[in-house]
Amino acid sequence: MLASSPSPHPEAARGLLTAEDRLRLLFDPGSAGIEGSGALRFGSGLVHGRPVLALADAGPSDPAALHQRAAFYRRAANEGGALVEFLDCPPLTGAAGTEGLAAMDACLTARAALKGRGLSITALSGPALGPMALTPALADLVVMHRAAGFWSLGGAELAHRLGHEDDPEAAYGGAELHGAGTGLAALCAADDVRLVLEIRRLLGLTRPRAAALAESDEAYTTLLPLDPFEGWDSAALVRLVADEGESLALWPDHGTALGCHLARIGGQPVGLIASNPAQNGGALDAAASRKARRFVDFLAGQGLPLVMLLDTPGSLPGQAEEAAGALAEAAALRRALNALPQPPVALVLRRAQGIAALALGLGCARTRLLAWPGARLGLGGGSEGAEAPQPLSPNQTKRALIAALAGQDTPQR
């Protein structure tokens, strides 16, 4: 039930849901159990039938509330399920001295121990400043309210004291900064209700579901432009391979030379990495490599398989890319792919060449490699590289992906 107006809750005064309302909206109807008072609310219930624990800020935190938060993190680690945290935390109160330091450290230690124990999501419906800013950085994924979410080590007030008086507050931690700039926010939502619903959708897409196989020959064959060097939007291909055309793009405004999506293929939850030739011709840059590496790390932690839909001429050259650490980011991506528990599946559409091909693991015998007719692979760029052997007919794309995910031989043309 949503908060009504007028309301004594400060969240309602800012046009936001209360802590209790966020938890009720998150859980499936009739499944929520909510408790707690003071600064925190705790909940347990189901999201699309999946057991989930959740907590939500209901006021300023103090050392006692930090210890309560740490205890809830330990509970989540012991149960090993999904955790959703709604962070809307003004600066800590009564946290000066060693007592506050010890309470904050206990909180961060328990939060860090959740790594690899289940899916953890932090939703920033309000501020996370100073010490509390470290909490969302330990989550698997962060979702931000576009207007109210704020995530900063110090914020504009501190920056202004240091002489940066003309910088707007959003420049120090708003959703635009972390959605497009740093890429720390995987999703941004326009309001509180959409924020909660996006989390529900994310949790739902990591659950298997039966799906019928339906493919259109014409839809695949008309995707690629006639000019082999012309850019094109791979979003249409993602819709075709995803069950019922449903996928969720993570970090959509960051590293746009490729897309990272959660979807199902043949009923199985998967991560999809898709080149975006509409941006830089699909050339891999530092931001795209960093985004892909974060996504691969996330998939490894959740035990989800990876499917790559690739059309890349190589890495983006230039002094700016060198300064951005493009080489280190490409190497980190390659290292992350090695840690995937299940071999990745790669479909090369037109080309996969140069450092990008290596960073994406196409030279690795472990990668299950598929290719459309005429696709070229190799270390060189442009028209260099050899055509892939045994090309796959586009109208067999989804069947081939399902077979490759199952470790089976794939149908050829």
Side-chain angles (χ1 to χ4, degrees):
M1 185 176 190
L2 303 187
S4 59
S5 183
S7 168
H9 298 288
E11 298 95 334
R14 291 183 289 146
L16 303 174
L17 301 178
T18 67
E20 293 89 345
D21 289 337
R22 287 171 182 150
L23 297 179
R24 291 191 185 97
L25 185 59
L26 173 69
F27 293 121
D28 296 343
S31 73
I34 300 173
E35 58 187 28
S37 60
L40 294 171
R41 300 292 183 273
F42 305 101
S44 60
L46 302 176
V47 178
H48 297 293
R50 173 181 184 162
V52 173
L53 293 176
L55 64 93
D57 284 313
S61 285
D62 56 18
L66 290 176
H67 284 296
Q68 284 185 306
R69 190 186 295 269
F72 197 72
Y73 292 155
R74 289 192 289 270
R75 175 185 169 187
N78 289 335
E79 295 188 12
L83 171 70
V84 177
E85 176 180 32
F86 294 97
L87 202 59
D88 184 359
C89 185
L92 300 177
T93 60
T98 57
E99 181 186 4
L101 183 64
M104 192 69 234
D105 187 76
C107 181
L108 294 176
T109 299
R111 190 68 174 84
L114 283 167
K115 185 71 174 178
R117 306 298 296 271
L119 174 57
S120 69
I121 301 168
T122 294
L124 293 176
S125 298
L129 289 171
M132 288 303 297
L134 293 175
T135 303
L138 295 170
D140 292 314
L141 294 173
V142 175
V143 185
M144 289 188 74
H145 190 296
R146 285 195 180 276
F150 190 80
W151 184 9
S152 173
L153 290 173
E157 181 180 352
L158 175 60
H160 291 170
R161 289 205 301 267
L162 296 175
H164 305 283
E165 297 180 357
D166 296 330
D167 293 340
E169 184 177 54
Y172 294 95
E176 183 176 353
L177 171 69
H178 291 307
T182 67
L184 292 176
L187 291 169
C188 297
D191 57 54
D192 239 7
V193 172
R194 287 187 179 90
L195 183 145
V196 178
L197 294 181
E198 285 289 77
I199 294 172
R200 282 186 54 84
R201 188 177 172 211
L202 191 159
L203 289 166
L205 281 170
T206 60
R207 299 274 289 177
R209 188 170 70 188
L213 178 62
E215 295 197 274
S216 167
D217 297 358
E218 182 179 357
Y220 285 104
T221 57
T222 57
L223 279 176
L224 300 182
L226 295 177
D227 182 346
F229 297 101
E230 182 181 341
W232 60 285
D233 186 359
S234 60
L237 178 59
V238 171
R239 287 192 295 271
L240 282 175
V241 301
D243 292 351
E244 301 173 358
E246 183 184 9
S247 67
L248 179 62
L250 302 180
W251 307 283
D253 300 321
H254 179 74
T256 53
L258 55 77
C260 296
H261 309 260
L262 288 175
R264 296 186 194 88
I265 296 180
Q268 180 178 2
V270 302
L272 279 173
I273 288 179
S275 298
N276 179 20
Q279 178 73 29
N280 299 331
L284 200 64
D285 59 16
S289 294
R290 181 167 56 250
K291 168 179 167 176
R293 188 262 306 158
R294 284 175 178 159
F295 189 50
V296 171
D297 285 344
F298 168 75
L299 297 177
Q302 302 307 312
L304 296 176
L306 170 65
V307 173
M308 297 182 285
L309 310 173
L310 302 176
D311 182 2
T312 174
S315 58
L316 187 67
Q319 183 178 357
E321 284 302 305
E322 298 287 353
L327 284 172
E329 296 292 356
L333 170 57
R334 183 66 186 84
R335 185 166 55 245
L337 286 167
N338 284 347
L340 280 172
Q342 183 170 326
V345 176
L347 170 63
V348 180
L349 307 168
R350 290 194 301 186
R351 59 190 179 272
Q353 297 168 310
I355 289 179
L358 291 172
L360 292 163
L362 297 190
C364 179
R366 183 170 179 259
T367 301
R368 295 169 181 161
L369 185 63
L370 306 171
W372 279 1
R376 309 188 76 85
L377 294 88
L379 293 178
S383 59
E384 297 183 27
E387 287 197 17
Q390 297 183 306
L392 173 76
S393 178
N395 64 9
Q396 292 291 312
T397 295
K398 189 160 184 177
R399 296 178 189 277
L401 292 175
I402 292 172
L405 286 167
Q408 301 170 359
D409 292 334
T410 57
Q412 306 298 327
R413 58 164 123 186

